[in-house]
Every structure is written in C-alpha cells, then in structure tokens.
C-alpha cells in the first residue's frame, strides 16, 4: 500500500502554519507544504519574531488571500486584509485594477512600528513603467511616510521610511520585478534590497517621526493625509507582502532565500 506524504507534512508542520492553513481553508497539498516550509524557515532564521503581518497570497481567491500568516484571525486588530475596488485573485497572487483597487492592512505604523526598527517587503511578478505606487501611508502633513514605488516612469525605485525628502532612497531600476525589502535598523540606518542585493546608498539621516503616521498601510496604491485620500493605483501582481521590525543584512538575505523557496514551491518564482 502506498501513502501520500501530506500526513507527514501535516505532522511536522509548525503550529503557526497549521493555524493559518485552517483559517484560510487551504486544502491543496503543495500549498500546505509551501506554507509549512516558509514558517519553518522563518523560525529557523530567527525572522519569525520580527514579523507583524505576513501576506503569503496563497489559495487563489479573495477569501484565502486576506489572511495574515502571523495572526490568522478575521479581525482588523489581526491585520487581515480588506480588498477595496477591483482586484484579480489567482494562483499567482493578487493584482489591483489600477483604477480603484487597494487593500487595507489596518496596520498603523505609529502604533506598530518604531523610528528605529521597521521593515516592509513585497514580491512583484510583473514589470510596469507607469506612475503606480505599490503601497504606502503618509502622515497628515504628507511629510513622514512608509512607502515604496518599485519603478516609476523615470525608471527609479523609490523607498521611504521616514521623512519623504530626507529619508528617501532612490535608485535607477530597469524592472519592477523581484523581491523588494526596505528596512530600518536604527534612527540613522535605512537600507533597501532587491532580491539578495542592497541597492542604493544607506540612508543615515536621523528620523524620529514614526508617531505621526497614524493611518493604515495600504497595498496597491498610496494613502495620503493619514488615509483621507488614495492615489496612484497599481496594476502590479503581488505574491507576498510583510510588515514588521527592522531586518539586518543577514536577515534580509535569509528572508529572500526563504521567500524565493516559497515562490518556487508554488511555481510562481521570478
């Protein structure tokens, strides 16, 4: 008699992964394995404890894509997503329509991040050159922000954790495709990585204003004035997104390794 290996996977799967699988209603064996291995890798690398929201965008539907892997409860306080406007949900992740589509994370940087330790990451599968913003929240004066545009019409990758003028990293970028990580490990150390490599120069300008960014981080566009208006809707395909504490260079490299392995298991790696 032959046996499927899924029961073995189930028995060795971390409890945190099993909770997500149950909440999201994931039944596919490959998708289960991808989640189990991802959580195991993040825990082994010591990254799991730095995560506050992980959106693995697995399962192919809005009802499976909304869940936060770190806290799979159907609550605003658990940072589960609410999709607004037009979105396409598939096995490749989530894609807003570029007109009115965005996802609310209910994650306020002021309440959940610090000026000395913060990160966000996103995995993008398609290239586009229009003026689309992949995510972001600006404070009431549109001065301080958490935001990233993986590629603007001028061919630049722009990342901000802090003052939008002085705490900005801008580099030339030929494609929006890849795994983008923005991480702050102190008030004066802000870096950006694409895949396993740091891009641009480390920003060392002091930042202490995280408390002003009280609105919710959104995906697929940018929120201005602490969320009173939404602009620059995206058409990019997102296959992963996270928010949490700052990542060291080693942690950023290990995170890419874990996420790329996850995407490869799901056959959607870039």
């Amino acid at each position: 008699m032959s046996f499927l290996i899924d029961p073995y996977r189930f028995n060795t799967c971390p409890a945190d992964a099993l909770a997500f699988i149950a909440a999201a209603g994931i039944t596919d064996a490959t998708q289960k394995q991808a989640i189990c291995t991802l959580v195991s890798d993040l825990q082994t690398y010591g990254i799991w404890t730095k995560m506050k929201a992980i959106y693995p965008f697995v399962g192919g539907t809005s009802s499976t894509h909304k869940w936060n892997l770190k806290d799979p409860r159907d609550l605003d306080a658990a940072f589960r997503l609410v999709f607004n406007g037009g979105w396409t949900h598939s096995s490749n992740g989530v894609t807003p329509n570029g007109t009115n589509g965005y996802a609310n994370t209910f994650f306020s940087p002021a309440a959940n991040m610090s000026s000395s330790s913060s990160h966000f990451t996103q995995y993008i599968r398609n290239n586009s050159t229009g003026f689309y913003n992949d995510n972001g929240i600006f404070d009431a004066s549109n001065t301080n922000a958490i935001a990233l545009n993986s590629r603007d019409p001028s061919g630049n990758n722009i990342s901000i954790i802090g003052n939008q003028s002085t705490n900005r990293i801008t580099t030339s970028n030929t494609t929006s495709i890849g795994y983008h990580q923005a991480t702050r490990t102190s008030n004066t150390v802000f870096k950006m990585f694409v895949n396993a490599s740091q891009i641009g120069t480390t920003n060392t300008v002091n930042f202490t204003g995280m408390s002003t960014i009280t609105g919710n981080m959104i995906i697929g566009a940018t929120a201005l004035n602490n969320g009173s208006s939404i602009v620059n809707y995206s058409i990019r395909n997102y296959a992963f997104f996270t928010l949490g504490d700052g990542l060291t260079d080693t942690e950023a490299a290990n995170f890419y390794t874990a996420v790329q392995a996850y995407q490869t298991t799901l056959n959607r790696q870039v």
Side-chain angles (χ1 to χ4, degrees):
M1 180 180 294
S2 61
F3 294 91
L4 296 174
I5 62 173
D6 190 55
Y8 169 78
R9 294 170 177 168
F10 185 90
N11 291 333
T12 60
C13 188
D16 293 296
L18 293 176
F20 173 87
I21 289 168
I26 303 296
T27 58
D28 179 84
T30 299
Q31 294 172 2
K32 287 182 180 179
Q33 179 62 51
I35 291 294
C36 290
T37 301
L38 173 65
V39 173
S40 178
D41 286 347
L42 296 184
Q43 292 177 344
T44 298
Y45 286 135
I47 300 173
W48 179 257
T49 57
K50 292 195 168 186
M51 299 293 110
K52 296 184 178 180
I54 305 172
Y55 305 108
F57 297 132
V58 64
T61 69
S62 60
S63 61
T64 61
H65 288 161
K66 72 179 185 179
W67 299 94
N68 174 8
L69 175 58
K70 190 66 190 288
D71 185 355
R73 296 176 296 156
D74 196 3
L75 301 171
D76 294 354
F79 310 134
R80 63 89 175 82
L81 297 176
V82 170
F83 293 99
N84 298 271
W87 286 80
T88 297
H89 297 270
S90 73
S91 60
N92 287 327
V94 299
T95 309
N97 62 4
T99 303
N100 63 0
Y102 71 95
N104 190 346
T105 67
F106 296 93
F107 184 99
S108 165
N112 299 287
M113 286 180 165
S114 76
S115 299
S116 61
S117 182
S118 53
H119 92 269
F120 61 99
T121 77
Q122 60 186 5
Y123 195 99
I124 298 176
R125 300 187 63 260
N126 61 334
N127 183 37
S128 59
T129 58
F131 198 76
Y132 310 114
N133 286 351
D134 298 303
N135 55 68
I137 177 67
F138 284 71
D139 68 8
S141 65
N142 292 323
T143 299
N144 296 327
I146 305 280
L148 172 64
N149 188 350
S150 60
R151 189 184 183 199
D152 69 12
S154 299
N156 291 319
N157 186 319
I158 301 171
S159 184
I160 307 167
I161 299 182
N163 182 288
Q164 71 157 319
S165 297
T166 60
N167 299 123
R168 174 190 291 253
I169 299 174
T170 302
T171 64
S172 177
N173 192 18
T174 59
T175 180
S176 57
I177 293 172
Y179 188 46
H180 304 78
Q181 303 185 65
T183 175
R184 179 175 286 284
T185 52
S186 80
N187 289 349
T188 57
V189 178
F190 170 41
K191 297 181 179 182
M192 181 164 54
F193 298 84
V194 174
N195 298 329
S197 301
Q198 182 180 353
I199 62 172
T201 303
T202 302
N203 185 291
T204 60
V205 178
N206 189 56
F207 172 63
T208 59
M210 189 69 75
S211 61
T212 68
I213 312 173
T214 59
N216 295 333
M217 186 75 166
I218 68 170
I219 303 170
T222 293
L224 301 179
N225 303 311
N226 272 326
S228 65
S229 62
I230 311 295
V231 299
N232 300 333
Y233 296 95
S234 175
I235 58 170
R236 294 184 179 126
N237 175 209
Y238 304 101
F240 197 78
F241 192 92
T242 72
L243 292 156
D245 297 334
L247 304 170
T248 66
D249 292 7
T250 298
E251 289 169 338
N254 288 338
F255 204 5
Y256 168 69
T257 298
V259 172
Q260 188 68 355
Y262 169 74
Q263 304 294 357
T264 300
T265 300
L266 296 177
N267 196 31
R268 63 187 194 187
Q269 74 279 7
V270 295

